[in-house]
Amino acid sequence: MTHQTTEPAGAHATAVPGRLPIEPLDPAIRSIQPGGGVCMRIELGWGRLRRSYLRLFRRSYLRRMEALRRGAENRCPHAVLDPRDVKFFRNQGGYWWDAADDPFAWRDRLPVARVGLAELLLLSGGCFVLALIAALVYWPVAVVPAALGLFIIAFFRNPRREIPDAAGQVVSPADGKVVTIEELAHDDYVGGRAVLIGIFLSVFDVHMNRSPVAARVIGLSYRRGKFLNALRAASTQENEQLALRLEENAPPHRRLVVRQIAGAIARRIVCVAAPGDDLDRGELFGMIKLGSRTELVLPWEPGLQLRVAVGDRVRAGSSVMAEYGSDANERDP
């Protein structure tokens, strides 16, 4: 997403004294979009045609890409000829290219999600084609597909954000409305008392997910499930979801969890991070395509101050959800 290289996630993961050990990648996570999907299959099918074209007509380009390619082995389910071939499998390790050698790195800087380019081309493009046909027959009818095409583009928008930099701050992992703040007597990963904050993302919100703190990714867990309305409490237990377990880089190395939860419309969770990755505060690590829920679990400790309440609207990377400190105004959530 924001990574400026196609180096495989977790490629340089090493054991660090005093830190949690890095977990192996969940075998259920076989790509950055473990739930698959029609658009993903179409894009992978297009990749087969593209590779055939490159082999036939762009041999000098392929030799150059092979000379610049890094990594010891191919962990993709297909041949890797250029950086586009590792798009969906960058969390598996294997081949990669430096950003300076990647002719497609500019796509990471687009104002829309790179992982949503296929949906933009197929869905919004299809809407605009329908609008053009409708306009030739009876132009007022063209307004509906044209508006739908613009809505799809807006859904995949990836706006820049100003990231707070004060010590102890925890920023929102998602845009949306805070619908739950709950104290947990014990969370297994956090290792004690914790606070859960649930955020509902409507189809009108930005759906990019960002890291709440500067942290190392310790592990990920993916679970298939239902696609209940993300406003329902049962969705947190029954819906398809991916949990990202983080350990803050700065002492005291707090443990946090971010859960991406699919909704009734959203059925595609994307997470480009892998165990061993270091994420900056506010750094993009994934998205949920079309209406969903994101949960943040953070450890309770003296000095923790919640900066949001149920009903507040928050923005990923820029809204401060909580702050750790020791001032006299601390309050128990």
Coordinates of all heavy atoms in Angstrom, one line a residue, residues 211 217 219-221 242-246 256-260 271 273-274 279 285:
S211 N -1.8 1.5 10.7 CA -1.3 1.0 12.0 C -1.5 2.1 13.1 O -1.2 3.2 12.9 CB 0.2 0.7 11.9 OG 0.8 0.3 13.1
V217 N 5.0 -6.3 13.5 CA 3.9 -7.3 13.4 C 4.4 -8.6 13.9 O 5.4 -9.2 13.4 CB 3.5 -7.5 11.9 CG1 2.4 -8.5 11.7 CG2 3.0 -6.1 11.3
G219 N 2.2 -11.4 14.5 CA 1.5 -12.5 13.9 C 0.2 -12.0 13.3 O -0.3 -10.9 13.6
L220 N -0.4 -12.9 12.5 CA -1.7 -12.6 11.9 C -2.5 -13.9 11.9 O -1.9 -15.0 11.8 CB -1.6 -12.2 10.4 CG -0.8 -10.9 10.1 CD1 0.6 -11.2 9.7 CD2 -1.5 -10.2 9.0
S221 N -3.8 -13.8 12.1 CA -4.7 -14.9 12.1 C -5.9 -14.6 11.2 O -6.5 -13.5 11.3 CB -5.2 -15.2 13.5 OG -4.1 -15.6 14.3
L242 N -9.7 -10.9 10.0 CA -8.2 -11.0 10.1 C -7.7 -10.2 11.2 O -8.0 -9.0 11.4 CB -7.5 -10.6 8.8 CG -6.0 -10.9 8.7 CD1 -5.6 -11.2 7.2 CD2 -5.2 -9.8 9.2
A243 N -7.0 -10.8 12.1 CA -6.4 -10.2 13.3 C -4.9 -9.9 13.1 O -4.2 -10.9 12.8 CB -6.6 -11.0 14.6
L244 N -4.5 -8.7 13.3 CA -3.1 -8.3 13.2 C -2.6 -8.0 14.6 O -3.1 -7.1 15.3 CB -3.0 -7.0 12.4 CG -1.7 -6.5 12.0 CD1 -1.1 -7.3 10.9 CD2 -1.8 -5.0 11.5
R245 N -1.6 -8.8 15.1 CA -1.1 -8.7 16.4 C 0.2 -7.9 16.4 O 1.2 -8.3 15.6 CB -0.8 -10.1 17.0 CG -2.1 -10.9 17.3 CD -1.9 -12.2 18.0 NE -1.2 -13.1 17.1 CZ -1.9 -13.8 16.2 NH1 -3.2 -13.7 16.0 NH2 -1.3 -14.7 15.4
L246 N 0.2 -6.8 17.1 CA 1.3 -5.9 17.1 C 2.0 -5.8 18.4 O 1.4 -5.9 19.5 CB 0.8 -4.5 16.7 CG 0.0 -4.3 15.4 CD1 -0.6 -3.0 15.2 CD2 0.9 -4.6 14.2
L256 N -0.8 -4.7 21.0 CA -2.1 -4.3 20.5 C -2.6 -5.2 19.5 O -1.8 -5.9 18.8 CB -2.1 -2.9 20.0 CG -1.6 -1.7 20.9 CD1 -0.1 -1.6 20.9 CD2 -2.3 -0.4 20.5
V257 N -3.9 -5.2 19.2 CA -4.5 -6.1 18.2 C -5.4 -5.2 17.3 O -6.2 -4.3 17.8 CB -5.4 -7.2 18.8 CG1 -6.0 -8.0 17.6 CG2 -4.5 -8.1 19.7
V258 N -5.3 -5.3 16.0 CA -6.2 -4.7 15.1 C -7.0 -5.8 14.3 O -6.3 -6.7 13.8 CB -5.5 -3.8 14.1 CG1 -6.5 -3.2 13.1 CG2 -4.8 -2.6 14.8
R259 N -8.3 -5.8 14.4 CA -9.1 -6.8 13.6 C -9.8 -6.1 12.5 O -10.5 -5.2 12.6 CB -10.1 -7.4 14.6 CG -9.5 -8.3 15.7 CD -10.6 -9.2 16.3 NE -10.0 -9.8 17.5 CZ -10.2 -9.3 18.7 NH1 -11.0 -8.2 18.9 NH2 -9.7 -9.9 19.8
Q260 N -9.6 -6.7 11.3 CA -10.4 -6.3 10.1 C -11.5 -7.3 10.0 O -11.3 -8.5 9.9 CB -9.5 -6.4 8.9 CG -8.3 -5.5 8.9 CD -7.3 -5.8 7.7 OE1 -6.6 -6.8 7.7 NE2 -7.3 -4.9 6.7
C271 N -4.7 -7.4 3.5 CA -3.6 -7.1 4.5 C -2.3 -7.4 3.8 O -2.0 -8.6 3.6 CB -3.8 -7.9 5.8 SG -2.5 -7.5 7.0
A273 N 0.6 -6.7 5.2 CA 1.7 -6.9 6.2 C 1.8 -8.4 6.5 O 1.0 -9.3 6.2 CB 1.3 -6.2 7.5
A274 N 3.0 -8.8 7.0 CA 3.3 -10.2 7.4 C 4.1 -10.1 8.7 O 4.7 -9.1 9.1 CB 4.1 -10.8 6.3
L279 N 5.9 -1.4 11.1 CA 5.0 -0.4 10.6 C 5.2 0.9 11.4 O 5.3 0.9 12.6 CB 3.6 -0.9 10.8 CG 3.2 -2.2 10.0 CD1 1.8 -2.6 10.4 CD2 3.4 -2.1 8.5
F285 N -1.6 -0.6 6.0 CA -1.3 -2.0 5.9 C -2.4 -2.8 5.2 O -2.2 -4.0 5.0 CB -1.0 -2.6 7.3 CG -2.2 -2.7 8.2 CD1 -3.1 -3.7 8.1 CD2 -2.5 -1.7 9.1 CE1 -4.2 -3.8 8.9 CE2 -3.6 -1.8 10.0 CZ -4.5 -2.8 9.8

